Amino acid sequence: MLRPSSDVRAFEAHATDADLDDLRARLAAARLPEAETVHRAASGPRRWEQGVPLADLVDVVDHWRTGYDWRSFEERLDEIGQFRTVIDGLAIHFLHRRSPRADATPVVLTHGWPGSIAEFVDVVDELTQPSDADAPAFHVVVPSLPGFGHSDKPAATGWGTEKIAAAWVELMERLGYSRFVAHGGDWGGNITTVLGGRFPEQVLGIHTTFAEGPPGLTTDGLTSLEREWAEDTRHFWRHRAAYAKQQATRPQTIGYSLVDSPVGLLAWILDKFAEWSDTEDSPFETISRDRVLDDVTLYWLTRTGASAARIYYESHNSLDPELRVDVPSAITIYPRDVEKCPRPWAQERYRQIVRWREPEKGGHFPSLEVPGYFVKDLQEGLAAVLAAQR
């Protein structure tokens, strides 16, 4: 049974015309640096070695100012269904769509940074009403992390991944879902791991694109590909993770730029969409330019650049090394993701891996890069999880 309606309230948020006019004015008045000094080739990933190339940024800024339509994204969110509920003094925003299928299973989908609920708006319909009648159906819940989007901004420390996972259990209970499955990538994968490890009575099983083995494991016995994964991950944290160190140690400092400058916010986020997607020259080879701008504009209008960055301060390297996940787990490792966990390492934490996949395409944002594959993989992964429960 659902709890009293006062616990969960329908929600709509529509930016004022003044806010949108202010955004366009700031974009028009932006002061930009000179072009990067390396690899100004016509195409290729090396163009991005110093960050977002000037020409690419100018092109996206122009579209953001003159062609992008925020109202269509607002309409899409309203169409799916938006709600808020207060948990531990913090209002949590979430999308919620129930499936018409009687055999549907509740699922919570958790995004990460620099993502948002925008990562999942294109897959909700197929998850709730699959075109294949034999595919599993789901009641879909997509929360905005604390400090992200239309969730409240924490006013004190403490909202790390452990507390967020506990809040998700409370959220699902309020919706009448005492038992459910969970999916996530990036921080959402971390939170999904905590859900599976800490709440086996409520969580039937998990699907994640971001598996994390316990620290200190040896590379002995790994295949050559798994050793390459381990080395790539080590290289990423040593040479390509300055953004994470900044947000984990000085989120307030970078936050001033992210909340005050839409161009600064765009560059900070676009850099990650480019570097972490399975593309050769531009993230827009696979990801819609408007969907990236939906994500960035959501950060801008809600002024959450600083508050979202603080999840790194709260939770960087905080996953309990002793945490084990005994519920059934399905794990998918995309080839161009920034962290790829070898299966022998994953098995040290996830004790019941019922499905493991290594697709040929896709990066850190699979729901946007390869949405068709992502949905099918999620359906099949969670089907394997549920079958293991029987």
Side-chain angles (χ1 to χ4, degrees), residues 347-387:
Q347 288 171 334
E348 294 297 315
R349 189 186 298 275
Y350 307 87
R351 299 304 183 87
Q352 191 183 170
I353 298 176
V354 297
R355 186 175 182 271
W356 178 278
R357 289 294 183 271
E358 301 169 18
E360 295 182 356
K361 296 181 180 179
H364 193 69
F365 308 97
S367 61
L368 299 177
E369 297 177 59
V370 286
Y373 179 90
F374 171 82
V375 169
K376 190 171 188 295
D377 177 65
L378 182 57
Q379 290 170 329
E380 292 178 354
L382 292 177
V385 162
L386 293 170

mmCIF file of all heavy atoms in Angstrom, residues 347-387:
data_model
loop_
_atom_site.group_PDB
_atom_site.id
_atom_site.type_symbol
_atom_site.label_atom_id
_atom_site.label_comp_id
_atom_site.label_asym_id
_atom_site.label_seq_id
_atom_site.Cartn_x
_atom_site.Cartn_y
_atom_site.Cartn_z
ATOM 1 N N GLN A 347 34.539 -10.263 -8.588
ATOM 2 C CA GLN A 347 33.996 -11.407 -7.853
ATOM 3 C C GLN A 347 34.387 -11.404 -6.376
ATOM 4 O O GLN A 347 33.748 -12.086 -5.575
ATOM 5 C CB GLN A 347 34.475 -12.700 -8.515
ATOM 6 C CG GLN A 347 33.794 -12.950 -9.846
ATOM 7 C CD GLN A 347 34.417 -14.099 -10.619
ATOM 8 O OE1 GLN A 347 35.598 -14.419 -10.435
ATOM 9 N NE2 GLN A 347 33.636 -14.720 -11.488
ATOM 10 N N GLU A 348 35.407 -10.635 -6.028
ATOM 11 C CA GLU A 348 35.781 -10.529 -4.630
ATOM 12 C C GLU A 348 34.776 -9.698 -3.827
ATOM 13 O O GLU A 348 34.705 -9.796 -2.609
ATOM 14 C CB GLU A 348 37.177 -9.911 -4.498
ATOM 15 C CG GLU A 348 38.280 -10.783 -5.046
ATOM 16 C CD GLU A 348 38.397 -12.095 -4.298
ATOM 17 O OE1 GLU A 348 38.361 -12.066 -3.050
ATOM 18 O OE2 GLU A 348 38.507 -13.150 -4.963
ATOM 19 N N ARG A 349 34.024 -8.850 -4.523
ATOM 20 C CA ARG A 349 33.003 -8.042 -3.836
ATOM 21 C C ARG A 349 31.594 -8.534 -4.146
ATOM 22 O O ARG A 349 30.765 -8.674 -3.245
ATOM 23 C CB ARG A 349 33.129 -6.563 -4.214
ATOM 24 C CG ARG A 349 32.224 -5.682 -3.353
ATOM 25 C CD ARG A 349 32.208 -4.232 -3.792
ATOM 26 N NE ARG A 349 33.483 -3.555 -3.729
ATOM 27 C CZ ARG A 349 33.998 -2.976 -2.656
ATOM 28 N NH1 ARG A 349 33.359 -3.037 -1.504
ATOM 29 N NH2 ARG A 349 35.161 -2.349 -2.729
ATOM 30 N N TYR A 350 31.330 -8.790 -5.421
ATOM 31 C CA TYR A 350 29.999 -9.222 -5.848
ATOM 32 C C TYR A 350 30.011 -10.751 -5.869
ATOM 33 O O TYR A 350 30.534 -11.375 -6.791
ATOM 34 C CB TYR A 350 29.663 -8.644 -7.216
ATOM 35 C CG TYR A 350 29.828 -7.140 -7.285
ATOM 36 C CD1 TYR A 350 31.071 -6.577 -7.595
ATOM 37 C CD2 TYR A 350 28.770 -6.281 -7.019
ATOM 38 C CE1 TYR A 350 31.242 -5.200 -7.645
ATOM 39 C CE2 TYR A 350 28.931 -4.900 -7.069
ATOM 40 C CZ TYR A 350 30.177 -4.374 -7.373
ATOM 41 O OH TYR A 350 30.350 -3.012 -7.422
ATOM 42 N N ARG A 351 29.408 -11.361 -4.865
ATOM 43 C CA ARG A 351 29.583 -12.789 -4.630
ATOM 44 C C ARG A 351 28.663 -13.672 -5.480
ATOM 45 O O ARG A 351 28.841 -14.890 -5.503
ATOM 46 C CB ARG A 351 29.358 -13.082 -3.150
ATOM 47 C CG ARG A 351 30.330 -12.359 -2.221
ATOM 48 C CD ARG A 351 31.792 -12.675 -2.577
ATOM 49 N NE ARG A 351 32.732 -12.061 -1.663
ATOM 50 C CZ ARG A 351 33.148 -12.590 -0.525
ATOM 51 N NH1 ARG A 351 32.694 -13.765 -0.153
ATOM 52 N NH2 ARG A 351 34.015 -11.963 0.235
ATOM 53 N N GLN A 352 27.686 -13.068 -6.140
ATOM 54 C CA GLN A 352 26.767 -13.861 -6.954
ATOM 55 C C GLN A 352 26.538 -13.150 -8.293
ATOM 56 O O GLN A 352 25.485 -12.573 -8.545
ATOM 57 C CB GLN A 352 25.438 -14.082 -6.210
ATOM 58 C CG GLN A 352 24.548 -15.109 -6.873
ATOM 59 C CD GLN A 352 23.203 -15.282 -6.196
ATOM 60 O OE1 GLN A 352 22.317 -15.945 -6.728
ATOM 61 N NE2 GLN A 352 23.020 -14.708 -5.022
ATOM 62 N N ILE A 353 27.550 -13.158 -9.137
ATOM 63 C CA ILE A 353 27.427 -12.543 -10.464
ATOM 64 C C ILE A 353 26.697 -13.523 -11.374
ATOM 65 O O ILE A 353 27.220 -14.591 -11.708
ATOM 66 C CB ILE A 353 28.804 -12.177 -11.050
ATOM 67 C CG1 ILE A 353 29.505 -11.153 -10.153
ATOM 68 C CG2 ILE A 353 28.638 -11.629 -12.468
ATOM 69 C CD1 ILE A 353 30.919 -10.791 -10.609
ATOM 70 N N VAL A 354 25.484 -13.162 -11.763
ATOM 71 C CA VAL A 354 24.656 -14.062 -12.568
ATOM 72 C C VAL A 354 24.730 -13.739 -14.052
ATOM 73 O O VAL A 354 24.278 -14.537 -14.884
ATOM 74 C CB VAL A 354 23.185 -14.019 -12.096
ATOM 75 C CG1 VAL A 354 23.077 -14.528 -10.662
ATOM 76 C CG2 VAL A 354 22.601 -12.614 -12.215
ATOM 77 N N ARG A 355 25.294 -12.588 -14.378
ATOM 78 C CA ARG A 355 25.441 -12.228 -15.791
ATOM 79 C C ARG A 355 26.567 -11.204 -15.904
ATOM 80 O O ARG A 355 26.612 -10.236 -15.144
ATOM 81 C CB ARG A 355 24.132 -11.642 -16.345
ATOM 82 C CG ARG A 355 24.137 -11.365 -17.853
ATOM 83 C CD ARG A 355 22.734 -10.917 -18.273
ATOM 84 N NE ARG A 355 22.610 -10.679 -19.688
ATOM 85 C CZ ARG A 355 22.861 -9.505 -20.285
ATOM 86 N NH1 ARG A 355 23.254 -8.462 -19.540
ATOM 87 N NH2 ARG A 355 22.703 -9.351 -21.586
ATOM 88 N N TRP A 356 27.464 -11.422 -16.871
ATOM 89 C CA TRP A 356 28.603 -10.525 -17.095
ATOM 90 C C TRP A 356 28.686 -10.254 -18.587
ATOM 91 O O TRP A 356 28.708 -11.188 -19.393
ATOM 92 C CB TRP A 356 29.890 -11.179 -16.590
ATOM 93 C CG TRP A 356 31.134 -10.364 -16.806
ATOM 94 C CD1 TRP A 356 31.874 -10.273 -17.953
ATOM 95 C CD2 TRP A 356 31.782 -9.517 -15.846
ATOM 96 N NE1 TRP A 356 32.947 -9.421 -17.774
ATOM 97 C CE2 TRP A 356 32.911 -8.954 -16.485
ATOM 98 C CE3 TRP A 356 31.515 -9.199 -14.514
ATOM 99 C CZ2 TRP A 356 33.769 -8.074 -15.833
ATOM 100 C CZ3 TRP A 356 32.382 -8.329 -13.869
ATOM 101 C CH2 TRP A 356 33.495 -7.782 -14.516
ATOM 102 N N ARG A 357 28.720 -8.994 -18.966
ATOM 103 C CA ARG A 357 28.779 -8.658 -20.387
ATOM 104 C C ARG A 357 29.863 -7.621 -20.645
ATOM 105 O O ARG A 357 30.092 -6.711 -19.837
ATOM 106 C CB ARG A 357 27.425 -8.106 -20.866
ATOM 107 C CG ARG A 357 26.319 -9.157 -20.938
ATOM 108 C CD ARG A 357 26.621 -10.213 -22.005
ATOM 109 N NE ARG A 357 25.536 -11.180 -22.134
ATOM 110 C CZ ARG A 357 25.436 -12.302 -21.420
ATOM 111 N NH1 ARG A 357 26.364 -12.571 -20.500
ATOM 112 N NH2 ARG A 357 24.432 -13.137 -21.607
ATOM 113 N N GLU A 358 30.514 -7.764 -21.801
ATOM 114 C CA GLU A 358 31.521 -6.830 -22.281
ATOM 115 C C GLU A 358 31.173 -6.465 -23.717
ATOM 116 O O GLU A 358 31.684 -7.058 -24.668
ATOM 117 C CB GLU A 358 32.918 -7.457 -22.207
ATOM 118 C CG GLU A 358 33.337 -7.880 -20.806
ATOM 119 C CD GLU A 358 34.601 -8.724 -20.797
ATOM 120 O OE1 GLU A 358 35.343 -8.699 -21.824
ATOM 121 O OE2 GLU A 358 34.846 -9.414 -19.789
ATOM 122 N N PRO A 359 30.264 -5.513 -23.927
ATOM 123 C CA PRO A 359 29.833 -5.167 -25.285
ATOM 124 C C PRO A 359 30.959 -4.568 -26.106
ATOM 125 O O PRO A 359 31.997 -4.169 -25.587
ATOM 126 C CB PRO A 359 28.704 -4.156 -25.053
ATOM 127 C CG PRO A 359 28.948 -3.620 -23.685
ATOM 128 C CD PRO A 359 29.583 -4.722 -22.899
ATOM 129 N N GLU A 360 30.731 -4.501 -27.407
ATOM 130 C CA GLU A 360 31.753 -4.007 -28.333
ATOM 131 C C GLU A 360 31.782 -2.492 -28.422
ATOM 132 O O GLU A 360 32.789 -1.918 -28.825
ATOM 133 C CB GLU A 360 31.524 -4.598 -29.726
ATOM 134 C CG GLU A 360 31.698 -6.112 -29.786
ATOM 135 C CD GLU A 360 31.504 -6.649 -31.192
ATOM 136 O OE1 GLU A 360 31.153 -5.844 -32.092
ATOM 137 O OE2 GLU A 360 31.701 -7.857 -31.387
ATOM 138 N N LYS A 361 30.695 -1.838 -28.070
ATOM 139 C CA LYS A 361 30.610 -0.389 -28.186
ATOM 140 C C LYS A 361 30.048 0.210 -26.899
ATOM 141 O O LYS A 361 29.330 -0.440 -26.154
ATOM 142 C CB LYS A 361 29.719 0.020 -29.369
ATOM 143 C CG LYS A 361 30.241 -0.391 -30.728
ATOM 144 C CD LYS A 361 29.301 0.090 -31.824
ATOM 145 C CE LYS A 361 29.815 -0.310 -33.201
ATOM 146 N NZ LYS A 361 28.892 0.144 -34.286
ATOM 147 N N GLY A 362 30.371 1.498 -26.708
ATOM 148 C CA GLY A 362 29.794 2.227 -25.585
ATOM 149 C C GLY A 362 30.849 2.707 -24.619
ATOM 150 O O GLY A 362 31.925 2.112 -24.476
ATOM 151 N N GLY A 363 30.535 3.805 -23.957
ATOM 152 C CA GLY A 363 31.428 4.393 -22.987
ATOM 153 C C GLY A 363 30.740 4.606 -21.655
ATOM 154 O O GLY A 363 29.924 3.788 -21.212
ATOM 155 N N HIS A 364 31.025 5.753 -21.048
ATOM 156 C CA HIS A 364 30.566 6.042 -19.694
ATOM 157 C C HIS A 364 29.081 6.380 -19.627
ATOM 158 O O HIS A 364 28.476 6.308 -18.563
ATOM 159 C CB HIS A 364 31.387 7.213 -19.149
ATOM 160 C CG HIS A 364 31.250 7.430 -17.688
ATOM 161 N ND1 HIS A 364 31.745 6.552 -16.746
ATOM 162 C CD2 HIS A 364 30.674 8.440 -16.974
ATOM 163 C CE1 HIS A 364 31.501 7.005 -15.531
ATOM 164 N NE2 HIS A 364 30.838 8.146 -15.642
ATOM 165 N N PHE A 365 28.496 6.757 -20.763
ATOM 166 C CA PHE A 365 27.097 7.198 -20.793
ATOM 167 C C PHE A 365 26.279 6.295 -21.717
ATOM 168 O O PHE A 365 25.688 6.759 -22.703
ATOM 169 C CB PHE A 365 27.016 8.651 -21.273
ATOM 170 C CG PHE A 365 27.907 9.601 -20.517
ATOM 171 C CD1 PHE A 365 29.163 9.954 -21.022
ATOM 172 C CD2 PHE A 365 27.511 10.139 -19.311
ATOM 173 C CE1 PHE A 365 29.983 10.833 -20.331
ATOM 174 C CE2 PHE A 365 28.332 11.015 -18.613
ATOM 175 C CZ PHE A 365 29.578 11.355 -19.122
ATOM 176 N N PRO A 366 26.188 4.997 -21.437
ATOM 177 C CA PRO A 366 25.579 4.076 -22.404
ATOM 178 C C PRO A 366 24.113 4.342 -22.695
ATOM 179 O O PRO A 366 23.654 4.091 -23.812
ATOM 180 C CB PRO A 366 25.769 2.699 -21.745
ATOM 181 C CG PRO A 366 25.935 2.980 -20.292
ATOM 182 C CD PRO A 366 26.655 4.301 -20.223
ATOM 183 N N SER A 367 23.369 4.851 -21.714
ATOM 184 C CA SER A 367 21.951 5.123 -21.966
ATOM 185 C C SER A 367 21.763 6.223 -22.994
ATOM 186 O O SER A 367 20.701 6.314 -23.627
ATOM 187 C CB SER A 367 21.238 5.507 -20.663
ATOM 188 O OG SER A 367 21.816 6.681 -20.102
ATOM 189 N N LEU A 368 22.791 7.050 -23.199
ATOM 190 C CA LEU A 368 22.753 8.105 -24.211
ATOM 191 C C LEU A 368 23.507 7.711 -25.472
ATOM 192 O O LEU A 368 23.137 8.119 -26.567
ATOM 193 C CB LEU A 368 23.356 9.401 -23.646
ATOM 194 C CG LEU A 368 22.660 10.004 -22.431
ATOM 195 C CD1 LEU A 368 23.415 11.234 -21.943
ATOM 196 C CD2 LEU A 368 21.212 10.357 -22.742
ATOM 197 N N GLU A 369 24.574 6.941 -25.324
ATOM 198 C CA GLU A 369 25.407 6.566 -26.469
ATOM 199 C C GLU A 369 24.813 5.420 -27.274
ATOM 200 O O GLU A 369 24.806 5.445 -28.507
ATOM 201 C CB GLU A 369 26.800 6.160 -25.987
ATOM 202 C CG GLU A 369 27.590 7.254 -25.291
ATOM 203 C CD GLU A 369 28.925 6.718 -24.792
ATOM 204 O OE1 GLU A 369 29.710 6.238 -25.634
ATOM 205 O OE2 GLU A 369 29.184 6.780 -23.579
ATOM 206 N N VAL A 370 24.374 4.384 -26.575
ATOM 207 C CA VAL A 370 23.828 3.182 -27.227
ATOM 208 C C VAL A 370 22.520 2.798 -26.527
ATOM 209 O O VAL A 370 22.411 1.739 -25.908
ATOM 210 C CB VAL A 370 24.844 2.019 -27.180
ATOM 211 C CG1 VAL A 370 25.969 2.252 -28.167
ATOM 212 C CG2 VAL A 370 25.419 1.821 -25.768
ATOM 213 N N PRO A 371 21.503 3.655 -26.611
ATOM 214 C CA PRO A 371 20.285 3.434 -25.811
ATOM 215 C C PRO A 371 19.582 2.116 -26.109
ATOM 216 O O PRO A 371 19.043 1.483 -25.192
ATOM 217 C CB PRO A 371 19.414 4.644 -26.155
ATOM 218 C CG PRO A 371 19.949 5.162 -27.458
ATOM 219 C CD PRO A 371 21.410 4.881 -27.424
ATOM 220 N N GLY A 372 19.565 1.691 -27.386
ATOM 221 C CA GLY A 372 18.908 0.434 -27.723
ATOM 222 C C GLY A 372 19.580 -0.746 -27.041
ATOM 223 O O GLY A 372 18.913 -1.593 -26.430
ATOM 224 N N TYR A 373 20.906 -0.791 -27.132
ATOM 225 C CA TYR A 373 21.641 -1.871 -26.468
ATOM 226 C C TYR A 373 21.495 -1.764 -24.956
ATOM 227 O O TYR A 373 21.312 -2.774 -24.269
ATOM 228 C CB TYR A 373 23.127 -1.840 -26.843
ATOM 229 C CG TYR A 373 23.904 -2.939 -26.154
ATOM 230 C CD1 TYR A 373 24.035 -4.179 -26.761
ATOM 231 C CD2 TYR A 373 24.462 -2.749 -24.888
ATOM 232 C CE1 TYR A 373 24.710 -5.221 -26.119
ATOM 233 C CE2 TYR A 373 25.129 -3.778 -24.235
ATOM 234 C CZ TYR A 373 25.258 -5.004 -24.850
ATOM 235 O OH TYR A 373 25.911 -6.024 -24.205
ATOM 236 N N PHE A 374 21.590 -0.546 -24.452
ATOM 237 C CA PHE A 374 21.512 -0.337 -22.998
ATOM 238 C C PHE A 374 20.212 -0.904 -22.436
ATOM 239 O O PHE A 374 20.226 -1.618 -21.427
ATOM 240 C CB PHE A 374 21.620 1.146 -22.677
ATOM 241 C CG PHE A 374 21.345 1.480 -21.230
ATOM 242 C CD1 PHE A 374 22.337 1.345 -20.283
ATOM 243 C CD2 PHE A 374 20.091 1.914 -20.827
ATOM 244 C CE1 PHE A 374 22.087 1.623 -18.942
ATOM 245 C CE2 PHE A 374 19.831 2.202 -19.495
ATOM 246 C CZ PHE A 374 20.836 2.055 -18.548
ATOM 247 N N VAL A 375 19.090 -0.593 -23.064
ATOM 248 C CA VAL A 375 17.797 -1.061 -22.556
ATOM 249 C C VAL A 375 17.723 -2.584 -22.601
ATOM 250 O O VAL A 375 17.321 -3.228 -21.625
ATOM 251 C CB VAL A 375 16.637 -0.436 -23.348
ATOM 252 C CG1 VAL A 375 15.314 -1.127 -23.001
ATOM 253 C CG2 VAL A 375 16.522 1.044 -23.056
ATOM 254 N N LYS A 376 18.123 -3.176 -23.734
ATOM 255 C CA LYS A 376 18.070 -4.636 -23.858
ATOM 256 C C LYS A 376 18.983 -5.299 -22.826
ATOM 257 O O LYS A 376 18.619 -6.289 -22.192
ATOM 258 C CB LYS A 376 18.470 -5.052 -25.270
ATOM 259 C CG LYS A 376 18.231 -6.522 -25.592
ATOM 260 C CD LYS A 376 18.450 -6.785 -27.074
ATOM 261 C CE LYS A 376 18.023 -8.205 -27.441
ATOM 262 N NZ LYS A 376 18.842 -9.235 -26.805
ATOM 263 N N ASP A 377 20.167 -4.741 -22.646
ATOM 264 C CA ASP A 377 21.103 -5.292 -21.672
ATOM 265 C C ASP A 377 20.558 -5.168 -20.254
ATOM 266 O O ASP A 377 20.694 -6.097 -19.443
ATOM 267 C CB ASP A 377 22.448 -4.568 -21.790
ATOM 268 C CG ASP A 377 23.456 -5.049 -20.760
ATOM 269 O OD1 ASP A 377 23.860 -6.221 -20.821
ATOM 270 O OD2 ASP A 377 23.835 -4.242 -19.882
ATOM 271 N N LEU A 378 19.953 -4.032 -19.948
ATOM 272 C CA LEU A 378 19.377 -3.832 -18.615
ATOM 273 C C LEU A 378 18.226 -4.803 -18.386
ATOM 274 O O LEU A 378 18.118 -5.421 -17.312
ATOM 275 C CB LEU A 378 18.913 -2.389 -18.463
ATOM 276 C CG LEU A 378 18.322 -1.993 -17.106
ATOM 277 C CD1 LEU A 378 19.303 -2.259 -15.973
ATOM 278 C CD2 LEU A 378 17.913 -0.511 -17.115
ATOM 279 N N GLN A 379 17.356 -4.954 -19.391
ATOM 280 C CA GLN A 379 16.244 -5.898 -19.266
ATOM 281 C C GLN A 379 16.752 -7.316 -19.034
ATOM 282 O O GLN A 379 16.292 -8.029 -18.134
ATOM 283 C CB GLN A 379 15.379 -5.858 -20.529
ATOM 284 C CG GLN A 379 14.573 -4.580 -20.700
ATOM 285 C CD GLN A 379 13.939 -4.489 -22.080
ATOM 286 O OE1 GLN A 379 14.486 -4.990 -23.063
ATOM 287 N NE2 GLN A 379 12.787 -3.834 -22.155
ATOM 288 N N GLU A 380 17.733 -7.745 -19.838
ATOM 289 C CA GLU A 380 18.226 -9.113 -19.732
ATOM 290 C C GLU A 380 19.025 -9.312 -18.442
ATOM 291 O O GLU A 380 18.954 -10.375 -17.821
ATOM 292 C CB GLU A 380 19.079 -9.450 -20.950
ATOM 293 C CG GLU A 380 18.265 -9.527 -22.239
ATOM 294 C CD GLU A 380 19.126 -9.809 -23.462
ATOM 295 O OE1 GLU A 380 20.381 -9.826 -23.319
ATOM 296 O OE2 GLU A 380 18.559 -9.999 -24.556
ATOM 297 N N GLY A 381 19.770 -8.280 -18.047
ATOM 298 C CA GLY A 381 20.534 -8.385 -16.812
ATOM 299 C C GLY A 381 19.633 -8.507 -15.601
ATOM 300 O O GLY A 381 19.854 -9.354 -14.720
ATOM 301 N N LEU A 382 18.611 -7.665 -15.559
ATOM 302 C CA LEU A 382 17.699 -7.735 -14.408
ATOM 303 C C LEU A 382 16.819 -8.977 -14.461
ATOM 304 O O LEU A 382 16.422 -9.508 -13.417
ATOM 305 C CB LEU A 382 16.850 -6.465 -14.343
ATOM 306 C CG LEU A 382 17.632 -5.199 -13.990
ATOM 307 C CD1 LEU A 382 16.733 -3.969 -14.008
ATOM 308 C CD2 LEU A 382 18.313 -5.330 -12.620
ATOM 309 N N ALA A 383 16.520 -9.478 -15.669
ATOM 310 C CA ALA A 383 15.802 -10.730 -15.775
ATOM 311 C C ALA A 383 16.620 -11.878 -15.168
ATOM 312 O O ALA A 383 16.088 -12.745 -14.465
ATOM 313 C CB ALA A 383 15.466 -11.039 -17.234
ATOM 314 N N ALA A 384 17.933 -11.869 -15.419
ATOM 315 C CA ALA A 384 18.809 -12.887 -14.836
ATOM 316 C C ALA A 384 18.877 -12.755 -13.311
ATOM 317 O O ALA A 384 18.888 -13.758 -12.586
ATOM 318 C CB ALA A 384 20.214 -12.761 -15.433
ATOM 319 N N VAL A 385 18.872 -11.526 -12.848
ATOM 320 C CA VAL A 385 18.865 -11.283 -11.407
ATOM 321 C C VAL A 385 17.591 -11.821 -10.768
ATOM 322 O O VAL A 385 17.628 -12.504 -9.730
ATOM 323 C CB VAL A 385 19.010 -9.763 -11.134
ATOM 324 C CG1 VAL A 385 18.570 -9.410 -9.729
ATOM 325 C CG2 VAL A 385 20.447 -9.301 -11.380
ATOM 326 N N LEU A 386 16.457 -11.540 -11.401
ATOM 327 C CA LEU A 386 15.189 -11.991 -10.834
ATOM 328 C C LEU A 386 15.054 -13.505 -10.918
ATOM 329 O O LEU A 386 14.494 -14.134 -10.010
ATOM 330 C CB LEU A 386 14.035 -11.306 -11.572
ATOM 331 C CG LEU A 386 13.936 -9.786 -11.347
ATOM 332 C CD1 LEU A 386 12.925 -9.174 -12.312
ATOM 333 C CD2 LEU A 386 13.556 -9.487 -9.910
ATOM 334 N N ALA A 387 15.567 -14.102 -11.991
ATOM 335 C CA ALA A 387 15.505 -15.564 -12.128
ATOM 336 C C ALA A 387 16.317 -16.238 -11.030
ATOM 337 O O ALA A 387 15.945 -17.328 -10.543
ATOM 338 C CB ALA A 387 16.019 -15.993 -13.506
#
